[in-house]
Amino acid sequence: MKILKIFIIIFLSVGFSHLKSNEKNNELKSKILKNIRCLICQGQSVYDSESEFASSIKLIVEKKINEGLKEEQIYEFLREKYGDWIIYDPQLNKNTYILWLLPLLLFLFGGTIIFKKLNNQK
Amino acid sequence: MKNKFSLFIVIIVLSFCFVIFYKGLNNSNIYEPKIKDKKNIPIFEGKDFNSNNYINSEKIFEEDIFYIVNIWASWCVPCRKEHPLLMELSKNQSIKLIGLNYRDNLNNAKNFINEFGNPYSQIIIDNDGALSIEFGAYGVPETFIIDKNKKIIRKFVGPINQKIVKEIKLIIK
């Protein structure tokens, strides 16, 4: 009886841990697919698209996750094949410096003007 | 003086925005991935169309010649349009054509080859489209030129035409 109890506990814990890791992988897969642009239905994410290309990408992403690749490694694989544009979230590189830094510069510029005006009023 | 300077800055900023948006209007909003550098061919194992045996990429691209990888499917209408040109290219002894049968029904694909002829020295089955992704393709038809160093040097999206055939012939000369 005791052996049976131990067996059931081990069986359940293995089952639950497997379910948990599956759930984690599914969450990661959805997160990645929502951040990949479909090149056929441009403007839609691979997650939302039903095109042949999107279904192939879904399979590849699932395969890469099961192989143990991290999120950034999967993006890197796709970037190497299709360029930066395939990822919705652009990386900071020489082509995107303006995109990332312009809002910050405008914020600083605007802030300086407001600060100066307030100082002058005093 | 201060007002004039502000007006000048505003005009400069507005002109800059106008030029950017005007240029953007003329640009195509359809993105096409381009090959920046010579990329190595992917390492893969695929199922042979005729024998159903698995074969690896090293074996497929083992000869010291130019290869053309063409992604095709029997359901793809533009593939029918480019097929006679692929037949023409297959007569050239200095290149080998490798077909990647993309997400297709095997019987339909065999009927397609029987009807229009077989330009390929080898056809690999790509049932789930994963091999095409490894090549960086996103549709059918797509054609890749691989040089003697086993690097992808050129990529053509969509059906090839006479102009592209001429370009291919120039590259392999």
Side-chain angles (χ1 to χ4, degrees), chain A residues 32-58 61 75 78 82-89, chain B residues 29-33 102 133 137-139 142:
Chain A
I32 293 171
L33 294 179
K34 281 174 187 168
N35 196 21
I36 303 172
R37 201 188 302 262
C38 178
L39 297 182
I40 301 294
C41 339
Q42 301 194 352
Q44 251 189 330
S45 72
V46 164
Y47 183 85
D48 295 319
S49 173
E50 289 296 329
S51 68
E52 301 274 352
F53 172 75
S55 51
S56 299
I57 290 280
K58 283 172 191 169
V61 168
Y75 290 147
L78 291 167
Y82 298 102
D84 287 334
W85 204 77
I86 194 156
I87 312 294
Y88 272 115
D89 196 8
Chain B
N29 54 5
I30 296 166
Y31 173 79
E32 254 184 41
Y102 180 80
I133 301 277
Y138 63 96
E142 273 192 38

Side-chain angles (χ1 to χ4, degrees), chain A residues 66-77:
Chain A
N66 291 336
E67 280 171 12
L69 261 74
K70 300 236 164 61
E71 188 180 349
E72 197 43 53
Q73 286 173 305
I74 296 173
Y75 290 147
E76 199 46 55
F77 166 82

Side-chain angles (χ1 to χ4, degrees), chain A residues 6-55:
Chain A
I6 292 169
F7 180 74
I8 289 171
I9 289 167
I10 291 172
F11 179 77
L12 284 176
S13 62
V14 168
F16 276 125
S17 69
H18 185 70
L19 271 177
K20 219 173 176 185
S21 85
N22 264 357
E23 202 182 303
K24 228 177 172 183
N25 281 355
N26 281 339
E27 269 175 27
L28 179 64
K29 187 183 159 191
S30 303
K31 189 185 169 200
I32 293 171
L33 294 179
K34 281 174 187 168
N35 196 21
I36 303 172
R37 201 188 302 262
C38 178
L39 297 182
I40 301 294
C41 339
Q42 301 194 352
Q44 251 189 330
S45 72
V46 164
Y47 183 85
D48 295 319
S49 173
E50 289 296 329
S51 68
E52 301 274 352
F53 172 75
S55 51

